[in-house]
């Protein structure tokens, strides 16, 4: 290799980066000053990382090249098996802060002292897609929280939906096989809209409640930051006197809930497949730390017995209006991992990770999960020593006699690696501090049973549907229509309509009609007659519980040359004042020149920043700029999509030609807001607090 600096025009830049050219023109970057020297994994310094060892300049490579072999060997083994479900996910660090002592209910150390902070790691995920799939699939989102408590790790491995598809863990492989790509053709990816999924679902009536949720806007969250999380199962809190209280865990986002519409989701997946992870990254990196409150629904056996469903059945909820959740602490995410693989990919969540004071119920889904999560870690992480990885290791003192195995990084020290021992070496049991299972009395026959208290499959599905606002109900009907339209086997569609008839006749007939089904099937035979007297639960609607704030949301501002710099600044200030952010989209990514000659930098060029990426849009255009943009399909789509997705649109008078070309009437509704001065900018930002103008939706046929 020649170390002679190249004599070519880019030599200056090259020299700045300590780059020198080799004989073949390739660039070598050499260590200088304080820069670390590149080494092999064995610590040997590397002289040349650009060329394999050869005989002669054009000769064959040599087996002797240990640097090449080590580098390629390691690369060849970089991948570990992706999670069999929840493969695509994104995590962040933070902390949980306890509000008040819950000693009355639990002896869990994390709940003993007000104000105590416990380190946390959270991983959000989709379920069906593989690791490289897009973020905005119609899917349940995983919401897995690892709390590194003083008495061991506690994992709440939950979802953003409080119920599940199945009642018994033995059906989990069947459920997942059905939703994953069909085995003969290996498609579709990250989609439930295909025959095998709906085949299984239509033959599994217990899934109907969950199906209502998955067809609702809950399955299309706008951001991880705007989702609720649920522990799903009933768990137990156990206090120092060994008394048990049933508990359900709910995480409520401080920024309120928000979802996108299906047409938008499809376009987001193309425009930014990393939409959710980018959102979380940007929020945390900019210091806008997302926060959730942990809320508990606490109840005893008598209360549980007051329902005709079973609180051990994971397809049921206890409506918040009947049992209000109590806030007991807050979870704040304030730090991204240093390395995605080391932390987010290797984190191992396990439902069986509970500290003393938290215990399981007999929910058959939970009981099965308690086997599966340990088992899967060995497959994925390859060693029983996965707890040696920093992300999985407890942050409290821990001592045991487990030893050896692949990649053992710490072994018990001393002569005795067992107990009892008389060498005085190692840890011992603590009946007082150790985990004591709640001493529930169990008896009965051995058998593969499903309790008849699990047999009502439709009442709460109907209750969920009845608790939604009209736009949300429309979205459910549209989702079912879309999904079933992708099902090629007519009998499966009919079976689904037969189930829907037990949930809501109007919903069933709407979907059947939109599918062009000639004859309505009979309602599916129900094991238990569905109840029609359950009160709607407004807490189940996203729209009913909107944040009435635009904080944490994003405005996309389409600009052209010559716009009013003052108006832009006023808009920027108002958006920031609201706790929201703003991104500029321009015809060219180099930005535009405002009327006073100042430069407005752009984040996106028009093709790269479609309006689906934003919660509201503002068109700051001169008439000339708008005229130019009318020729661009991307600019017309920017406006037409924002309108169709019921977003608030602020616009300068100059923008009207573009609105017109996009087929949008500048005076169409109260979501169209002229921007001229500070007052009108304030009106626009205040309107955005409603997030969407759902009243427009009926007029826009998507
Ligand atoms: Fe599961 C991963 C949530 C039922 C078996 N599950 C996994 C993750 C979440 C959930 C959030 C991803 C954790 C992470 O980010 O690493 N799973 C649920 C919920 C369920 C549920 C809320 C029902 C209430 N799961 C369930 C059953 C089984 C599993 C019934 C098996 C019997 N789940 C797994 C698994 C995974 C997993 C195979 C894949 C990767 C992993 O565990 O670590 O063990």
């Amino acid at each position: 290799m020649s170390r002679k600096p190249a004599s070519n025009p880019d030599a200056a830049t090259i020299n700045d980066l300590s780059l020198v050219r080799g004989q073949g023109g390739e660039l070598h970057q050499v260590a200088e000053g304080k820069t670390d020297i590149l080494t092999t994994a064995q610590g040997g310094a590397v002289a040349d990382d650009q060329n394999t060892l050869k005989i002669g300049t054009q000769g064959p490579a040599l087996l002797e090249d240990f640097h090449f072999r080590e580098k390629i060997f390691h690369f060849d083994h970089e991948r570990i098996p992706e999670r069999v479900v929840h493969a695509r996910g994104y995590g962040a660090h933070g902390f949980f802060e306890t509000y008040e002592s819950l000693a009355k209910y639990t002896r869990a150390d994390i709940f003993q002292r007000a104000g105590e902070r416990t380190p946390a790691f959270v991983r959000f995920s989709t379920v069906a897609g593989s690791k490289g799939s897009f973020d905005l699939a119609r899917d349940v989102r995983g919401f897995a929280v690892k709390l590194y408590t003083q008495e061991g790790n506690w994992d709440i491995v939950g979802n953003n939906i409080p119920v599940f598809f199945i009642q018994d863990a033995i059906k989990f492989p069947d459920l997942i096989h059905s939703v994953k790509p069909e085995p003969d053709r290996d498609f579709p990816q990250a989609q439930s809209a295909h025959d095998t999924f709906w085949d299984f679902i239509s033959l599994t009536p217990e899934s109907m409640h969950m199906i209502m949720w998955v067809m609702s806007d809950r399955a299309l969250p706008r951001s991880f930051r705007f989702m609720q999380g649920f522990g799903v199962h009933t768990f137990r809190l156990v206090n120092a006197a060994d008394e048990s209280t049933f508990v359900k865990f709910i995480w409520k986002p401080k920024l309120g809930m928000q979802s996108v519409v299906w047409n938008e989701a499809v376009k987001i997946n193309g425009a930014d497949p990393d939409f959710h992870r980018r959102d979380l990254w940007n929020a945390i990196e900019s210091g806008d730390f997302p926060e959730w409150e942990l809320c508990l629904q606490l109840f005893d056996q008598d209360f549980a017995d007051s329902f005709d469903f079973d609180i051990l059945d994971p397809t049921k909820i206890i409506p918040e209006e009947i049992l209000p959740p109590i806030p007991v602490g807050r979870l704040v995410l304030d730090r991204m991992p240093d390395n995605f693989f080391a932390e987010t990919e290797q984190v191992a969540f396990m439902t069986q990770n509970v500290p003393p004071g938290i215990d399981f119920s007999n929910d058959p889904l939970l009981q099965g999960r308690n086997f599966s999560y340990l088992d899967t870690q060995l497959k994925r992480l390859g060693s029983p020593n996965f707890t040696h990885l920093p992300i999985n290791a407890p942050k409290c003192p821990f001592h045991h006699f487990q030893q050896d195995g692949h990649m053992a990084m710490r072994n018990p020290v001393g002569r005795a690696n067992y107990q009892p021992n008389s060498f005085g070496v190692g840890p011992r049991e603590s009946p007082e501090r150790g985990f004591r299972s709640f001493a529930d009395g169990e008896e009965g026959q051995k058998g593969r049973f499903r309790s008849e208290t699990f047999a009502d499959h439709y009442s709460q599905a109907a209750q969920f549907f009845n608790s939604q606002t009209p736009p949300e109900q429309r979205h459910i009907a549209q989702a079912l229509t879309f999904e079933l339209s992708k099902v090629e086997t007519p009998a499966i569609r009919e079976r689904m309509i037969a189930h829907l008839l037990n949930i809501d006749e109007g919903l069933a007939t709407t979907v059947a009609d939109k599918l062009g089904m000639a004859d309505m099937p009979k309602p599916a035979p129900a094991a238990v007659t569905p109840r029609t007297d359950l009160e709607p639960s407004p807490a189940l609607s996203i729209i009913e519980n909107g944040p009435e704030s635009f904080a944490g949301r994003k405005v996309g501002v389409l600009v052209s040359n010559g716009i009013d710099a003052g108006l832009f600044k006023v808009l920027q200030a108002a958006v920031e004042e609201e706790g929201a952010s703003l991104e500029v989209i321009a015809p060219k990514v180099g930005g535009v020149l405002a009327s006073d000659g100042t430069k407005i930098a752009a984040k996106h060029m028009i093709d790269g920043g479609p309006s689906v990426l934003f919660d509201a849009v503002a068109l700051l255009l001169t008439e000339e700029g708008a005229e130019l943009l009318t020729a661009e399909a991307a600019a017309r789509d920017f406006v037409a999509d924002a309108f169709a997705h019921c977003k608030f649109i602020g616009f300068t008078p100059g923008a009207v030609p573009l609105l017109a070309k996009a087929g949008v009437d500048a005076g169409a509704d109260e979501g169209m807001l002229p921007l001229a001065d500070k007052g009108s900018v304030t009106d626009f930002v205040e309107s955005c607090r409603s997030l969407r103008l759902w009243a427009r939706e009926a007029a826009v046929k998507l």
Side-chain angles (χ1 to χ4, degrees):
M1 175 185 111
S2 152
R3 284 284 162 83
K4 225 171 52 195
S7 56
N8 65 20
D10 59 349
T13 340
I14 287 177
N15 284 338
D16 287 348
L17 293 169
S18 306
L19 289 163
V20 291
R21 276 205 196 283
Q23 277 171 347
E26 80 283 9
L27 293 174
H28 294 255
Q29 193 167 31
V30 295
E32 270 176 9
K34 288 190 179 154
T35 320
D36 289 335
I37 290 175
L38 181 72
T39 69
T40 65
Q42 303 287 344
V46 171
D48 179 345
D49 193 38
Q50 314 301 322
N51 300 297
T52 46
L53 189 66
K54 305 181 187 68
I55 303 212
T57 55
Q58 286 155 310
L62 292 178
L63 202 56
E64 183 188 314
D65 189 347
F66 57 83
H67 169 50
F68 167 81
R69 275 189 293 129
E70 182 201 77
K71 186 174 175 183
I72 299 301
F73 148 80
H74 200 279
F75 171 75
D76 287 346
H77 299 274
E78 274 180 8
R79 295 286 173 274
I80 60 172
E82 64 173 37
R83 288 168 175 82
V84 61
V85 282
H86 296 264
R88 182 165 179 82
Y90 211 53
H93 294 273
F95 62 87
F96 176 77
E97 189 176 85
T98 305
Y99 288 161
E100 300 293 341
S101 169
L102 293 181
K104 184 175 161 211
Y105 297 108
T106 175
R107 67 189 181 105
D109 184 75
I110 186 174
F111 291 127
Q112 300 309 301
R113 295 164 295 277
E116 172 143 334
R117 288 189 172 188
T118 302
F121 186 81
V122 177
R123 184 174 177 274
F124 303 106
S125 47
T126 52
V127 178
S130 56
K131 190 168 176 284
S133 57
F134 40 81
D135 277 348
L136 252 165
R138 172 176 295 284
D139 201 352
V140 194
R141 296 302 183 288
F143 193 124
V145 183
K146 189 181 279 293
L147 298 159
Y148 302 90
T149 85
Q150 293 294 313
E151 292 197 334
N153 291 350
W154 176 24
D155 296 353
I156 309 180
V157 197
N159 280 343
N160 75 330
I161 290 180
V163 288
F164 204 62
F165 294 98
I166 48 171
Q167 295 172 323
D168 190 309
I170 200 167
K171 295 311 294 168
F172 193 65
D174 300 289
L175 165 73
I176 299 305
H177 288 178
S178 82
V179 72
K180 287 272 183 181
E182 299 187 11
D184 53 353
R185 58 207 69 183
D186 199 37
F187 60 79
Q189 176 60 241
Q191 318 260 350
S192 52
H194 59 114
D195 283 56
T196 55
F197 176 70
W198 288 101
D199 186 33
F200 177 80
I201 292 299
S202 64
L203 296 170
T204 309
E206 73 210 52
S207 67
M208 289 308 139
H209 188 191
M210 178 71 167
I211 282 299
M212 285 295 112
W213 285 79
V214 178
M215 294 300 112
S216 82
D217 296 347
R218 298 267 178 163
L220 302 173
R222 154 68 178 84
S223 160
F224 297 138
R225 299 179 294 138
F226 310 153
M227 298 186 322
Q228 292 185 334
F230 301 90
V232 181
H233 315 280
T234 296
F235 288 84
R236 288 176 186 279
L237 298 183
V238 183
N239 66 14
D242 286 327
E243 292 158 343
S244 150
T245 307
F246 288 124
V247 60
K248 282 187 172 276
F249 299 109
I250 308 178
W251 299 102
K252 295 199 170 187
K254 198 176 151 199
L255 291 169
M257 288 186 282
Q258 189 185 339
S259 288
V260 302
V261 294
W262 174 246
N263 181 277
E264 198 181 357
V266 170
K267 291 171 181 168
I268 291 172
N269 285 333
D272 184 5
D274 306 306
F275 188 66
H276 282 153
R277 51 177 64 187
R278 193 186 304 281
D279 172 271
L280 190 65
W281 172 275
N282 286 343
I284 294 179
E285 291 294 301
S286 69
D288 185 11
F289 302 138
E291 197 172 316
W292 287 260
E293 260 190 337
L294 177 62
C295 302
L296 307 184
Q297 283 182 305
L298 296 168
F299 56 100
D300 58 16
Q301 189 66 54
D302 285 347
F303 181 84
D305 294 341
S306 69
F307 296 108
D308 49 12
F309 64 85
D310 199 319
I311 54 103
L312 300 179
D313 173 356
T315 70
K316 303 295 185 293
I317 59 159
I318 302 176
E320 292 191 8
E321 289 78 5
I322 296 178
L323 183 59
I326 306 162
V328 298
R330 66 187 186 117
L331 171 74
V332 179
L333 297 182
D334 60 2
R335 182 165 63 87
M336 292 309 298
D338 293 330
N339 181 270
F340 175 85
F341 183 88
E343 294 155 83
T344 309
E345 191 60 11
Q346 295 199 116
V347 66
F349 290 96
M350 305 199 289
T351 48
Q352 61 268 50
N353 281 354
V354 288
I358 313 285
D359 208 339
F360 312 114
S361 70
N362 285 348
D363 176 340
L365 197 67
L366 176 60
Q367 298 273 324
R369 291 180 75 193
N370 286 346
F371 163 75
S372 185
Y373 289 75
L374 176 62
D375 189 50
T376 206
Q377 308 313 339
L378 188 59
K379 174 74 189 168
R380 271 186 22 85
L381 300 169
S383 158
N385 292 319
F386 68 89
T387 54
H388 293 201
L389 296 170
I391 192 71
N392 294 324
K395 295 193 195 296
C396 62
F398 56 95
H399 312 277
H400 51 72
F401 293 100
Q402 294 171 23
Q403 66 165 23
D404 300 356
H406 284 293
M407 308 293 166
M409 273 176 260
R410 28 162 212 271
N411 265 1
V413 288
R415 185 168 183 188
N417 50 2
Y418 55 89
Q419 66 92 7
N421 72 62
S422 57
F423 292 96
V425 176
R428 299 290 186 266
E429 300 161 10
S430 166
E432 182 209 331
R433 283 196 45 205
F435 187 90
R436 294 190 303 273
S437 293
F438 176 66
D440 206 10
E442 306 287 357
E443 60 178 32
Q445 274 183 332
K446 189 192 280 183
R448 295 185 181 275
F449 300 119
R450 183 80 59 99
S451 168
E452 56 189 39
T453 54
F454 281 35
D456 179 358
H457 302 140
Y458 300 106
S459 305
Q460 286 208 352
Q463 183 181 35
F464 178 78
F465 185 71
N466 294 332
S467 303
Q468 305 299 305
T469 59
E472 291 170 308
Q473 290 190 336
R474 258 197 317 270
H475 297 165
I476 293 173
Q478 285 162 354
L480 282 162
T481 308
F482 173 82
E483 297 268 320
L484 295 176
S485 78
K486 295 283 179 186
V487 169
E488 291 162 357
T489 313
I492 298 175
R493 286 190 213 142
E494 278 159 30
R495 277 206 301 267
M496 271 315 299
I497 300 295
H499 288 299
L500 295 181
L501 281 167
N502 288 336
I503 297 171
D504 187 90
E505 205 181 325
L507 175 66
T509 47
T510 305
V511 176
D513 180 49
K514 283 177 188 277
L515 288 171
M517 204 175 271
D519 301 310
M520 278 303 269
K522 286 204 177 66
V528 166
T529 310
R531 287 182 60 164
T532 50
D533 59 341
L534 296 181
E535 287 290 322
S537 162
L540 297 177
S541 156
I542 295 178
I543 294 179
E544 282 282 331
N545 298 286
E548 278 311 315
S549 156
F550 200 58
R553 274 71 180 178
K554 199 191 282 181
V555 186
V557 187
L558 180 60
V559 297
S560 67
N561 277 325
I563 58 151
D564 179 349
L567 189 63
F568 176 77
K569 284 199 190 111
V570 168
L571 176 64
Q572 192 167 35
V575 168
E576 281 165 12
E577 171 86 354
E578 183 72 14
S581 60
L582 173 151
E583 281 179 8
V584 173
I585 306 102
K588 294 180 184 170
V589 78
V592 294
L593 289 180
S595 53
D596 63 358
T598 54
K599 174 114 181 155
I600 299 179
K603 171 96 178 166
H604 310 273
M605 70 177 283
I606 179 70
D607 303 79
S611 61
V612 291
L613 302 182
F614 309 103
D615 298 291
V617 299
L619 312 173
L620 296 195
L621 302 172
T622 60
E623 199 163 331
E624 196 189 358
E627 292 288 358
L628 282 173
L629 284 171
T630 55
E632 304 243 11
R636 298 195 302 269
D637 287 351
F638 185 93
V639 175
D641 274 349
F643 187 78
H645 301 147
C646 301
K647 290 175 184 170
F648 289 89
I649 301 179
F651 60 97
T652 54
V656 172
L658 180 61
L659 288 173
K661 200 71 182 180
V664 173
D665 177 354
D669 54 40
E670 68 268 35
M672 301 297 301
L673 293 136
L675 300 174
D677 50 20
K678 197 164 176 195
S680 52
V681 165
T682 307
D683 283 350
F684 169 65
V685 174
E686 285 179 359
S687 300
C688 289
R689 290 177 188 164
S690 306
L691 305 180
R692 301 286 168 111
L693 183 71
W694 294 114
R696 183 191 292 156
E697 199 181 31
V700 189
K701 284 225 158 185
L702 273 174

